Amino acid sequence: MSRVIEADNIVTRFGKHVVHQNLNLHVNRGEIYGLLGPSGCGKTTLMKEMVLLQKYQGGSMKVLGYDLNTIGHQKAQELRQQWGVLFQFGALYSSLNIYDNIAVSLREYTTISETLIAEIVSYKIDIVGLQQSVKEQYPSEISGGMKKKAGLARALVMDPKLLFLDEPTSGLDPISAREFDALILRLRTRFDLSIVMVTHDLDSIEATLDRVAILDEKKVVAEGDLATVKATDNRFVKSFFKGRPS
Amino acid sequence: MLSFNGNSLSLHAKVQGDTVVITVRGDMNVKSVALIESLLAELLSHPLPSKVFVWHLETLTRFDSAAALLLYTFDMKARSLGATCKFHAQTNHQHILDALYHRDYQSGGVTDDRLGMIASVGKMTIQKYHSFKDFLAFVGELFAALTIYLLNPKSIRFKEIYHAIEESSINALGIIALTTFLIGVVLAYQSSVQLKMYGANIFIVDMLGISVLRELAPLIAAIVIAGRSGSAFAAQIGVMKITEELDAMKTMGFDPYLFLVLPRIIALMIMMPLIIFFADVMAMLGGMVVASIELGISAQLFLDRFNEAVAMKHFFIGISKGPFFGFIIAAIGIFRGLMVENDTRSIGINTTKSVVEAIFMVIICDAVFSIIYTNMGI
Ligand SMILES: Nc1ncnc2c1ncn2[C@@H]1O[C@H](COP(=O)(O)OP(=O)(O)OP(=O)(O)O)[C@@H](O)[C@H]1O
Ligand SMILES: [Mg+2]
């Protein structure tokens, strides 16, 4: 399987408002793929469609080989354990401390002993760059950037093959943001991950993305590596990469 | 000495001289780790047959961090028993494993922070004490804000008051009408059975009139409003607190007490008496319907008797409770909203508390009124 995501002629409408009209894209295995585009062009919406949070009105979508048009409950549950999703603000469960937030999938889907769960949770907390002391804290007691890192640790706990990130570096300080980029790259090589992310962070785009899709005017107006995309004739592309060497 | 063959995983361990050779094939990942863990526990539970464990992992199809951590903890345990491990794995798998040996953090679970019974009783008592103090502070701020209103009537937010009246009272009239009408029906129906036995049919009017006007209508109305509007206050203000709307208002110089708190309290204090009046009418209507069907008392007769037997004071006593009930419901609802902390769970907790506490306080207040009026001889 060389393509982890294939979107074919996706149509999305909210009432009369058309967000996507025959949108096509694909994500290859092992790559870090970026969704870019002006505000309101439907990046978050597209990502939600990929993770079964929202229905599209036309076309077909395949994720990790599962056809989302015909997927049943059983298969969907199977699929959900193979990806990790990081929401823009972490979306941690407020009634659980950070430790339990990260451990919850392990407890629900496996019978791993608590000792090994403690090892796994501690490890994930370490690789996302958090202090071990956050384990006992509740989401309301930590900062926005820490919530994001904890959310990433939770998304990584089942060692997913596919990771979805919605604006992972927004709200992080520049140093943490660069660390985040390095972390993403490290994870990708070490764990054979494929990553789809929405981002507006130019440094992050340059540092991490292998391929990007520019969403504009309800379609993908350009797809490919950064150099190819920068060369396309599009208003958004021109102003977004303005002043950056290509 | 150990052999396992599964769908996507096989594990074989055999003793060769003074080494144990363990060969794993297939998927060694978070899904299969629990199984391998139990197999290994078995391996270590016997007296150690040898000093060296040699792992052959070259043909694994999957290997992730959970699996690596399992091997790492196995190695640590083996070391503590005086043995060593040797791993033969694909290069990228080896990297994952090697990284674990250079870690600089302390792993471990979290300590259980559940308290014993005595400790939790103590903690709860202190919490109640603090929340009572907070409530007093809230009432203090409320009256401070009220003085601003009174000294400077221009600062009264009439638009907000009107809005709160509509949301918390006018929109509640439907449910008030329904509940109180049904209370009237039920009450009349139950008493009609008894009264018929004594042939005292006409006294249904006295009975209903006094109990409804004086006690039942105010109480039922207050309970419905507490459940419907008090909880809405708590939830609205709680969400505003979480989304930092309240902080935004403060930084822009809009005092939340003037803009949010007082308008709601004033609205309910004005509207509660009117709601009670409305509840009176609906409950009596319910009673009248049953009286005419069950006891053959016509509407005309019912009203004549009502005029004669039910003194005006009962009506006024009922109505006079209105502003107090309104104050209690609105103040507790808003106070609970302000107590919401920075997480969604506390919205639920505080909304529930707002209803329970408001109903409780309304009943206490009603009891106090009852004592006062009885002592005054009315
Ligand atoms: N639930 C909804 N109901 C109606 N319209 C919606 C809904 N969700 C999104 N939209 C519309 O769909 C369009 C795409 O929204 P989306 O959130 O995907 O944008 P985005 O590309 O993620 O923008 P941003 O960069 O600002 O996050 C917007 O025009 C938005 O108004
Ligand atoms: Mg978005």
Side-chain angles (χ1 to χ4, degrees):
Chain A
M1 179 184 56
S2 64
R3 291 185 171 183
V4 286
I5 297 178
E6 273 178 89
D8 253 333
N9 289 316
I10 295 295
V11 178
T12 311
R13 272 180 248 111
F14 291 107
K16 282 210 178 97
H17 176 54
V18 180
V19 181
H20 305 129
Q21 184 71 53
N22 296 332
L23 177 148
N24 292 291
L25 58 79
H26 70 270
V27 180
N28 296 319
R29 181 175 167 174
E31 75 186 359
I32 303 181
Y33 189 89
L35 293 173
L36 271 62
S39 209
C41 68
K43 303 179 291 292
T44 302
T45 306
L46 184 63
M47 192 176 269
K48 281 190 172 168
E49 289 168 353
M50 291 174 178
V51 295
L52 293 168
L53 282 177
Q54 195 160 330
K55 289 216 163 68
Y56 41 86
Q57 276 69 41
S60 73
M61 181 110 73
K62 273 194 188 145
V63 177
L64 291 172
Y66 295 83
D67 186 345
L68 301 195
N69 287 359
T70 57
I71 198 166
H73 176 74
Q74 199 78 35
K75 289 278 170 200
Q77 283 300 85
E78 214 174 281
L79 179 56
R80 287 187 180 111
Q81 290 174 41
Q82 295 178 38
W83 67 41
V85 183
L86 171 62
F87 290 90
Q88 195 168 350
F89 300 102
L92 298 171
Y93 302 122
S94 56
S95 58
L96 303 178
N97 61 22
I98 303 304
Y99 181 90
D100 291 332
N101 256 289
I102 299 172
V104 68
S105 294
L106 292 173
R107 295 207 178 111
E108 190 61 34
Y109 295 125
T110 73
T111 53
I112 296 175
S113 69
E114 281 297 320
T115 2
L116 190 54
I117 287 183
E119 286 292 332
I120 297 176
V121 171
S122 307
Y123 175 73
K124 304 291 170 180
I125 284 181
D126 184 63
I127 56 171
V128 299
L130 282 172
Q131 298 290 322
Q132 295 293 326
S133 57
V134 298
K135 279 191 278 206
E136 315 212 353
Q137 288 181 300
Y138 282 84
S140 57
E141 300 165 355
I142 61 177
S143 73
M146 289 161 82
K147 277 185 197 152
K148 222 160 207 178
K149 290 180 182 173
L152 181 65
R154 184 178 70 178
L156 288 172
V157 75
M158 296 289 282
D159 281 291
K161 297 177 195 157
L162 182 56
L163 193 59
F164 293 95
L165 310 170
D166 195 355
E167 313 214 4
T169 53
S170 75
L172 293 184
D173 62 276
I175 297 172
S176 300
R178 297 296 75 79
E179 279 171 7
F180 203 97
D181 294 343
L183 168 67
I184 299 281
L185 288 170
R186 211 163 52 234
L187 288 174
R188 189 263 303 266
T189 42
R190 207 178 277 170
F191 296 110
D192 184 24
L193 262 175
S194 313
I195 299 171
V196 178
M197 67 164 126
V198 173
T199 179
H200 294 294
D201 181 342
L202 269 172
D203 291 314
S204 186
I205 291 170
E206 304 270 359
T208 57
L209 298 186
D210 299 317
R211 283 172 69 240
V212 295
I214 308 285
L215 268 65
D216 198 5
E217 293 147 12
K218 302 169 190 163
K219 283 188 187 340
V220 173
V221 291
E223 191 190 23
D225 59 25
L226 266 181
T228 324
V229 165
K230 279 182 188 170
T232 44
D233 185 27
N234 173 277
R235 204 158 34 99
F236 170 75
V237 174
K238 289 235 152 73
S239 64
F240 191 70
F241 292 108
K242 190 174 57 189
R244 289 256 166 177
S246 50
Chain B
M1 66 188 278
L2 182 70
S3 185
F4 174 83
N5 272 308
N7 254 347
S8 55
L9 173 87
S10 74
L11 187 148
H12 301 281
K14 53 180 188 286
V15 187
Q16 288 179 351
D18 64 346
T19 62
V20 180
V21 178
I22 305 171
T23 314
V24 191
R25 292 196 183 85
D27 292 353
M28 190 170 178
N29 61 1
V30 70
K31 285 278 164 198
S32 57
V33 150
L35 177 65
I36 302 172
E37 200 184 9
S38 58
L39 292 172
L40 293 181
E42 207 176 308
L43 202 66
L44 281 184
S45 66
H46 304 301
L48 278 189
S50 63
K51 295 262 169 231
V52 187
F53 292 91
V54 178
W55 288 80
H56 285 286
L57 308 165
E58 292 94 339
T59 52
L60 284 183
T61 42
R62 292 234 173 89
F63 186 76
D64 64 11
S65 64
L69 282 161
L70 176 69
L71 294 176
Y72 174 78
T73 44
F74 180 84
D75 189 14
M76 290 299 132
K77 223 180 285 169
R79 281 184 197 195
S80 71
L81 297 170
T84 52
C85 284
K86 239 192 210 133
F87 299 105
H88 300 286
Q90 299 164 29
T91 352
N92 52 340
H93 297 170
Q94 193 73 47
H95 284 318
I96 301 177
L97 197 51
D98 287 346
L100 294 180
Y101 287 85
H102 306 297
R103 65 182 187 184
D104 50 5
Y105 63 91
Q106 197 69 44
S107 66
V110 287
T111 45
D112 198 344
D113 58 357
R114 262 173 294 177
L115 298 170
M117 198 180 79
I118 295 183
S120 32
V121 168
K123 196 174 164 201
M124 219 151 80
T125 313
I126 291 175
Q127 271 173 356
K128 291 268 183 268
Y129 169 67
H130 281 304
S131 89
F132 180 68
K133 273 206 317 200
D134 286 340
F135 187 70
L136 287 187
F138 168 76
V139 174
E141 287 234 32
L142 202 62
F143 281 98
L146 194 61
T147 17
I148 296 181
Y149 261 20
L150 294 179
L151 291 180
N152 182 8
K154 259 197 224 146
S155 67
I156 300 179
R157 317 300 308 183
F158 288 104
K159 221 175 84 190
E160 271 79 18
I161 294 177
Y162 170 74
H163 191 69
I165 285 179
E166 187 180 358
E167 277 216 330
S168 62
S169 310
I170 309 281
N171 294 347
L173 287 182
I175 185 74
I176 294 274
L178 195 63
T179 24
T180 47
F181 180 83
L182 286 177
I183 290 284
V185 166
V186 170
L187 211 61
Y189 189 74
Q190 290 297 329
S191 12
S192 67
V193 178
Q194 308 296 325
L195 290 173
K196 245 194 268 183
M197 284 198 293
Y198 299 103
N201 292 12
I202 193 67
F203 286 104
I204 185 98
V205 182
D206 308 41
M207 220 210 73
L208 270 185
I210 294 173
S211 63
V212 163
L213 297 191
R214 206 176 158 122
E215 288 294 335
L216 281 173
L219 218 50
I220 299 292
I223 289 172
V224 172
I225 292 292
R228 188 195 169 281
S229 306
S231 61
F233 288 170
Q236 276 169 3
I237 291 183
V239 171
M240 291 176 86
K241 191 149 181 222
I242 286 191
T243 54
E244 296 181 322
E245 274 176 70
L246 285 186
D247 292 342
M249 287 179 71
K250 283 183 203 158
T251 56
M252 293 165 78
F254 309 141
D255 183 353
Y257 278 84
L258 299 184
F259 280 77
L260 294 175
V261 178
L262 275 180
R264 285 176 167 75
I265 290 182
I266 292 173
L268 266 198
M269 286 179 76
I270 295 174
M271 289 309 287
M272 226 27 226
L274 299 174
I275 292 173
I276 292 173
F277 173 65
F278 184 65
D280 287 343
V281 174
M282 291 313 293
M284 293 318 293
L285 218 60
M288 257 163 86
V289 170
V290 174
S292 90
I293 295 171
E294 283 290 310
L295 301 171
I297 297 174
S298 71
Q300 185 60 48
L301 185 56
F302 191 99
L303 287 177
D304 285 346
R305 174 72 192 172
F306 190 81
N307 230 349
E308 259 169 49
V310 184
M312 209 49 186
K313 67 176 185 185
H314 298 303
F315 171 73
F316 283 118
I317 285 177
I319 294 288
S320 72
K321 297 174 183 175
F324 295 91
F325 287 0
F327 176 82
I328 289 172
I329 294 168
I332 290 179
I334 293 164
F335 169 69
R336 278 292 154 204
L338 292 173
M339 285 296 107
V340 166
E341 274 154 31
N342 188 16
D343 75 66
T344 39
R345 191 172 44 141
S346 80
I347 292 189
I349 294 172
N350 278 293
T351 309
T352 313
K353 277 190 179 168
S354 77
V355 178
V356 175
E357 287 172 359
I359 292 177
F360 180 70
M361 286 312 292
V362 160
I363 290 174
I364 300 254
C365 177
D366 193 52
V368 171
F369 271 118
S370 174
I371 295 170
I372 294 175
Y373 287 135
T374 313
N375 281 345
M376 283 165 65
I378 45 180

